[in-house]
Amino acid sequence: MKNNGSSSDRGTLYLVPNTLGKTPENNTIPEYVLTIIRRLDVLIVENIQTASRYLQWVGDTIPDYEIDFLLLNKKTPVHEIASFLDPLKQGRDAGLLSEAGCPVIADPGSELVKMAHAQDIHVSPLVGPSSILLALMGSGFNGQEFAFHGYLPIDRDKRRQALLDLEKKARKSTQTQIFMETPHRNDAMVKDIIAHCRDDTRFCTATNLTLPGERIISQPIRRWRQDSGPSLHKEPTIFLLSS
């Protein structure tokens, strides 16, 4: 679709948020964002099937068969990513769509955004839910200084060392340390944190944010040892450590 919102002959790259999980009602995506999504006919996505399901949830979008879907994931070569800007150079708007939450944050796409800026293509981030920021908001931890580390190592010894390093950073600088795990390994992560961190280190789990069954538990490790809380198996969760 031709960009009608700019005098430039180039399109706009919209960074399109997704919900953190599907619900019948919409309580996280503003209506003006839905309006933009409904007119996009170029979408850069990780998975066409899940993107199509999201469009069905949004409703009143351009039919799938009229949308140019471009696949972007960790394996996409740089030269192919560069080609995703071709429609924008021709004046068409495009959307970079996340699988969940906000694009680029713990998500592929930063290379595309960097290339867009280098070629003077307008980039417009759209408002939507970020599990990382929502978890920080709900934790009661330092929101002035924080760091997000993505996924910690799978190897148990390396993960233990990573946890101790993050705990040390939190205690030394009061900087909140934020990270995540593949949902089926959540319970193992909780057990490792409880086993290896100090009694007075504060630990928070933020689970199913914005969804039914949302739970945020924030307390010192000593209390976690008394009651480790409900199982988090296969439930999307953000983890936070603080001094």
Side-chain angles (χ1 to χ4, degrees):
M1 174 163 290
K2 190 77 174 177
N3 176 11
N4 295 317
S6 170
S7 58
S8 170
D9 59 355
R10 297 191 169 200
T12 294
L13 176 61
Y14 289 101
L15 308 185
V16 181
N18 201 330
T19 60
L20 297 178
K22 298 302 178 289
T23 56
E25 71 286 350
N26 172 27
N27 57 6
T28 57
I29 308 294
E31 186 60 35
Y32 90 92
V33 173
L34 297 179
T35 299
I36 292 173
I37 295 171
R38 288 172 180 138
R39 67 175 179 80
L40 293 175
D41 61 2
V42 180
L43 286 176
I44 302 154
V45 304
E46 283 187 78
N47 183 288
I48 293 176
Q49 288 72 31
T50 55
S52 293
R53 286 196 291 270
Y54 180 55
L55 295 180
Q56 291 171 10
W57 180 86
V58 170
D60 299 323
T61 61
I62 293 173
D64 282 6
Y65 60 84
E66 294 183 9
I67 295 176
D68 291 333
F69 287 102
L70 307 174
L71 288 176
L72 174 60
N73 54 44
K74 295 177 182 178
K75 297 181 179 179
T76 307
V78 172
H79 72 271
E80 188 172 335
I81 295 174
S83 72
F84 294 168
L85 297 177
D86 291 345
L88 292 129
K89 294 175 185 176
Q90 297 164 9
R92 298 170 69 188
D93 292 339
L96 173 61
L97 175 63
S98 175
E99 285 280 279
C102 297
V104 182
I105 310 300
D107 214 42
S110 59
E111 188 66 29
L112 177 68
V113 174
K114 181 172 71 174
M115 290 178 177
H117 284 300
Q119 300 193 42
D120 296 324
I121 291 171
H122 180 61
V123 175
S124 180
L126 301 178
V127 173
S130 165
S131 58
I132 299 164
L133 292 181
L134 290 170
L136 179 62
M137 290 163 60
S139 67
F141 296 171
N142 186 355
Q144 304 300 316
E145 296 181 63
F146 54 92
F148 176 65
H149 301 276
Y151 294 92
L152 300 191
I154 295 175
D155 178 82
R156 191 156 191 174
D157 290 337
K158 291 180 180 179
R159 185 171 63 208
R160 173 181 174 275
Q161 187 57 54
L163 287 170
L164 293 176
D165 290 344
L166 294 183
E167 182 185 42
K168 184 177 179 180
K169 288 180 182 178
R171 299 184 71 87
K172 184 177 180 180
S173 66
T174 73
Q175 182 187 70
T176 300
Q177 307 299 312
I178 310 172
F179 50 99
M180 60 199 301
E181 181 55 283
T182 302
H184 72 267
R185 289 197 290 265
N186 281 342
D187 287 344
M189 176 66 79
V190 172
K191 288 178 181 178
D192 282 349
I193 291 170
I194 293 173
H196 301 305
C197 291
R198 294 169 53 163
D199 278 358
D200 57 345
T201 294
R202 296 189 63 82
F203 171 42
C204 175
T205 59
T207 304
N208 289 324
L209 293 167
T210 75
L211 303 173
E214 177 182 83
R215 297 190 310 275
I216 301 176
I217 303 174
S218 182
Q219 57 194 14
I221 292 293
R222 68 169 64 90
R223 288 189 58 191
W224 281 97
R225 289 190 175 125
Q226 296 167 5
D227 179 10
S228 61
S231 171
L232 305 179
H233 186 63
K234 293 188 177 180
E235 296 185 276
T237 299
I238 299 292
F239 301 95
L240 306 93
L241 291 175
S242 179
S243 58

